Amino acid sequence: MARKSTPTSFSRAGISFNLLLQSVCVVFLFVAANYIGFHYYKRWDLSRSQKFSLSEQTKQVIREFSQPIKIVLYSSPTDQGLGTMVHADTQSLLKELEFSGRRKIEVETIDPSREPGRAREAQAEFAFEGAESSLLLAYGDRKKTIPLAELGDFDLSGLEIGDPPRLVAFKGEAALTAAFIELLDPEKSKVYFVTGHGEREAKDLQLLLEFLDRQNAEAMGLPLLSMLAVPEDADAVCLIAPRLDLADGELEVLKNYWDNGGRLFILLDPDADTPNLHKLLAPVGIIPRDDRVLRIFSSPTSPGTINIIKVVVGGFLPDAAITKRLGTVNAVLPEPTQSLALETRTAARQDVQLRPLIQAGELYWGETRYENLEETAFDEGVDTQPAIVGASAEKGGTAAEETDVATSRMVVVGSGGFLDDEVVRQAPGNLDFAISALNRLLDSSKRTGVVPKTISNFALNLTDSQMQRLGLYTLVVMPGLVALFGLVVAIRRRA
Amino acid sequence: MRKFFTLWKREVAMVFRSPAAYVILFFFLLLTGFNFYQTVNLINQSGMPRLSVLEVYFNTPYFWFGFVLPFPLITMRLFAEEYKLGTIEALMTAPVRDTQVLLAKYLGALFFYVVLWAPTGLYFLIFWWQTGLSAGSSPGVFIGSYAMLLLLGMFYLAIGCLASALTRNQIVAAIISFVAISLLFFWGLYSLWFPNVSRLLREFTEYFSPIAHMASFSQGLLDTRPVVLYLSLTALTLFFTFQVFQYRRWKV
């Protein structure tokens, strides 16, 4: 018996070994195919608007990274706000960037509502204090923050009738490519703050300066009096509430800067006598009015007593690129505020596009007799209502802001303390505005040549009868036909 | 090849002579029809959504429920029934190769799977007929959706085949394949449920995630990686099915 069983056992062992070997080979082939398939793959974007395809410019920039860039999508899909509307597009874009720049781009998603611990770590790591959904970028020790709401163009025209905002175009790739270029270029953007006229000091503007630092921008003083021209490396010049006027030479320097594609951010001090500064603004079409924006308030607890409210609360107007993402956030101007007249004819002659950015609340007006407020009241034809207190001017641009090329840009606000730290802490919308304005002034996304992707919506407006017919065909006719066919087969089988 | 086609025709005929096929098809169409109607209704009520009917249709929970359910029903009888009825012995002694038997059964099941899903294409035609609008934003989204449907179906049917080859009890085969398919399906959701996972684990789960694959393909974004994955998984699973089938043959 033992002799007979030996070959059988041997044969079985051989078969088992053969089987094992085959299995190992097949598993190896499976792993190898997937390893190769995972690392060497091809993707085709067959979507209508090619919404997943990256531009060559973006791919080229990614190739230039010599070390990994870290991108954190700091956003909660359940957040309220415009950023939520581009959350999914941003995720898709980051996935494409990850695919395109394997090992060079690290993406992390942090949902602050679900991961508060990780959110705090990221805030510390990126020196990011805002609560707004944002993209946080780090390349070596260089960091940059991009609010998600800046990645979309929104149509807010329906807000007044209760319609939600609508995403018109997604410009995430342009914004990220511009950010990549900035991070790759070790040279920081330079933002000069004019000094020598009693302007706000750096210690009053710490929050604004911190933001500039995070944007890889360097804030520097600019003693204009001793200069023949604005330094060539200036990416923007800020004039923050000068109490003394510009000298004639300084005015010429700033005029030349503006005429040659300069970017100016100006806060006016209405109590200061600054005719030369007004001369800088006049050709652009922005005329600071000699008034003070205020409103009166009758206290219900003490009838007959009229209080004059000089702290201006206003809204950001949604029709400009700078303010469209700010939505319903309020602007608060606690110091004396003057209204701005926008002279579009003058502007048109200079090829300047004017856009109102901040409008005082509907109860406010620009009071011309502000020195005697004993019996103040709105005078039709003399005072101004509504009062525009912030505006932008772009020279060489077009009516459609997104189609412009390199332009001279200016943002003017008719109040001095608008960006003081203590004001910004109470009214974070002011800083949001300044961030958006400076992003616009420093904006390099237009230079990337990456075109924003138009969003196609799938609008349906089916009538009840159309829906009923769809239901009839899909829920009754089609399954019914199958049931009938099955019944025929069953009957034929029985027959 | 002729022997293979004979076997394949036998499999297909067995399926379509059975009332069970029509019962499955009937309930499947009810479920997918309901999903389609709900999708259109949802889009019709929600104003201006970003996704087209087709993109929503292939990514709803109703879709996934209707998608996963038929596999155990289609495949549970493939080998288990033959083992139980003893007809497998006749097959094994017939002058056909084991690979021919396996492929005939597998492709027969795949044919039924295609027949199961083919009528859903009519939904989009009916939609176009009734509304004058295309249900998808581009031809690419149709190609992507149905290509992914086929790839996923090929793999899940292979799992069903393996489960059926493992046992002579059809119910047990159905349970094994259902559990295996469900586990693989939910594995893809791991990184969604636990967002704090490492990049490697996230990539690994996404690589196997049918939901991510369908979401991508149904938006017209075609990628060779899922194609390689599902074709290789199908081949691997069929290889093991073949080994199990041969093992049972030796036992017989």
Side-chain angles (χ1 to χ4, degrees), chain A residues 45-309:
Chain A
D45 184 358
L46 303 182
S47 61
R48 184 171 61 180
S49 53
Q50 301 276 295
K51 60 181 174 182
F52 299 103
S53 300
L54 295 178
S55 68
E56 271 311 308
Q57 164 85 0
T58 303
K59 289 176 187 167
Q60 178 63 37
V61 171
I62 291 171
R63 280 194 284 271
E64 287 176 27
F65 287 126
S66 57
Q67 56 178 314
I69 181 168
K70 186 171 183 184
I71 306 175
V72 173
L73 174 57
Y74 184 93
S75 167
S76 172
T78 54
D79 264 357
Q80 298 296 315
L82 295 175
T84 316
M85 296 181 70
V86 293
H87 183 94
D89 288 294
T90 307
Q91 272 187 321
S92 299
L93 171 65
L94 292 179
K95 200 169 267 186
E96 289 308 308
L97 288 169
E98 242 185 335
F99 286 138
S100 185
R102 277 193 72 80
R103 298 178 209 287
K104 287 187 174 177
I105 295 180
E106 293 171 7
V107 174
E108 184 186 2
T109 301
I110 298 175
D111 181 344
S113 60
R114 288 177 68 187
E115 308 157 77
R118 182 69 194 103
R120 277 193 294 276
E121 283 172 19
Q123 284 187 334
E125 186 184 344
F126 289 86
F128 168 70
E129 290 171 1
E132 192 179 9
S133 292
S134 299
L135 279 175
L136 316 176
L137 287 78
Y139 182 66
D141 58 351
R142 293 170 220 152
K143 297 187 171 62
K144 189 163 173 66
T145 306
I146 309 172
L148 277 200
E150 286 189 2
L151 304 186
D153 275 338
F154 301 95
D155 177 5
L156 304 175
S157 57
L159 280 181
E160 287 174 6
I161 53 168
D163 284 348
R166 194 168 65 85
L167 182 64
V168 180
F170 179 64
K171 50 185 185 182
E173 191 188 345
L176 266 172
T177 307
F180 290 164
I181 292 170
E182 283 178 41
L183 290 171
L184 275 168
D185 184 1
E187 200 174 312
K188 287 187 169 188
S189 305
K190 287 199 170 67
V191 179
Y192 283 93
F193 284 75
V194 175
T195 58
H197 311 86
E199 289 89 350
R200 284 295 198 279
E201 292 179 26
K203 66 179 172 59
D204 300 320
L205 305 167
Q206 282 305 307
L207 292 172
L208 179 67
L209 297 178
E210 280 173 20
F211 158 75
L212 286 173
D213 188 46
R214 284 202 299 274
Q215 292 302 89
N216 202 34
E218 194 176 355
M220 302 174 80
L222 182 64
L224 210 52
L225 197 58
S226 59
M227 310 193 85
L228 295 173
V230 170
E232 283 187 3
D233 61 357
D235 292 289
V237 170
C238 298
L239 193 52
I240 309 294
R243 291 198 186 97
L244 301 172
D245 200 11
L246 299 170
D248 290 345
E250 292 174 313
L251 173 64
E252 280 309 307
V253 168
L254 286 179
K255 269 187 172 173
N256 283 338
Y257 176 66
W258 163 257
D259 287 338
N260 292 292
R263 308 287 169 102
L264 285 161
F265 186 77
I266 299 172
L267 298 191
L268 300 172
D269 182 346
D271 290 340
D273 183 25
T274 52
N276 271 348
L277 176 56
H278 290 199
K279 280 182 194 167
L280 176 69
L281 304 180
V284 174
I286 297 177
I287 310 295
R289 286 199 186 94
D290 185 17
D291 64 10
R292 296 292 180 274
V293 179
L294 49 81
R295 73 179 175 97
I296 53 174
F297 171 67
S298 305
S299 171
T301 51
S302 51
T305 309
I306 291 178
N307 300 303
I308 296 168
I309 311 291

Side-chain angles (χ1 to χ4, degrees), chain B residues 11-243:
Chain B
E11 285 300 319
V12 172
M14 271 175 70
V15 170
F16 285 100
R17 276 187 203 141
S18 154
Y22 299 95
V23 174
I24 293 171
L25 198 49
F26 173 76
F27 283 107
F28 179 78
L29 284 179
L30 265 187
L31 198 61
T32 52
F34 175 74
N35 180 31
F36 180 78
Y37 182 79
Q38 280 300 320
T39 300
V40 177
N41 197 29
L42 181 80
I43 293 175
N44 200 34
Q45 287 178 357
S46 62
M48 296 179 79
R50 301 274 305 282
L51 299 175
S52 65
V53 169
L54 182 125
E55 288 162 65
V56 178
Y57 174 78
F58 280 108
N59 292 284
T60 64
Y62 296 126
F63 163 77
W64 286 110
F65 182 65
F67 173 75
V68 169
L69 212 56
F71 293 109
L73 302 175
I74 297 172
T75 55
M76 64 184 189
R77 45 156 286 281
L78 287 180
F79 291 97
E81 191 179 48
E82 303 252 21
Y83 293 144
K84 194 172 183 183
L85 297 176
T87 49
I88 196 77
E89 287 175 31
L91 255 183
M92 285 169 171
T93 50
V96 288
R97 290 186 197 150
D98 288 351
T99 46
Q100 288 176 325
V101 174
L102 172 68
L103 286 177
K105 284 187 174 294
Y106 172 74
L107 291 177
L110 188 62
F111 180 76
F112 182 60
Y113 173 77
V114 171
V115 169
L116 209 56
W117 278 100
T120 60
L122 288 176
Y123 297 152
F124 306 113
L125 278 176
I126 292 170
F127 179 81
W128 175 74
W129 174 43
Q130 287 297 315
T131 65
L133 298 168
S134 172
S137 54
S138 70
V141 300
F142 287 96
I143 295 167
S145 303
Y146 279 96
M148 183 45 65
L149 210 53
L150 184 65
L151 286 167
L152 283 168
M154 285 167 69
F155 173 46
Y156 289 171
L157 285 172
I159 293 176
C161 266
L162 177 61
S164 185
L166 285 169
T167 174
R168 53 193 293 132
N169 188 322
Q170 289 191 39
I171 303 298
V172 174
I175 290 171
I176 292 172
S177 63
F178 184 74
V179 170
I181 289 167
S182 300
L183 283 176
L184 284 165
F185 178 77
F186 286 114
W187 168 249
L189 295 172
Y190 184 82
S191 62
L192 282 178
W193 288 335
F194 304 100
N196 271 333
V197 296
S198 66
R199 179 183 176 170
L200 191 69
L201 188 57
R202 180 165 58 86
E203 282 190 347
F204 191 65
T205 52
E206 280 184 4
Y207 186 61
F208 287 96
S209 170
I211 294 179
H213 297 149
M214 183 53 93
S216 161
F217 272 58
S218 64
Q219 290 186 63
L221 189 61
L222 275 56
D223 192 325
T224 53
R225 282 168 300 175
V227 178
V228 171
L229 173 74
Y230 290 118
L231 289 180
S232 61
L233 276 172
T234 304
L236 183 72
T237 315
L238 285 178
F239 169 78
F240 284 119
T241 311
F242 177 70
Q243 298 298 351

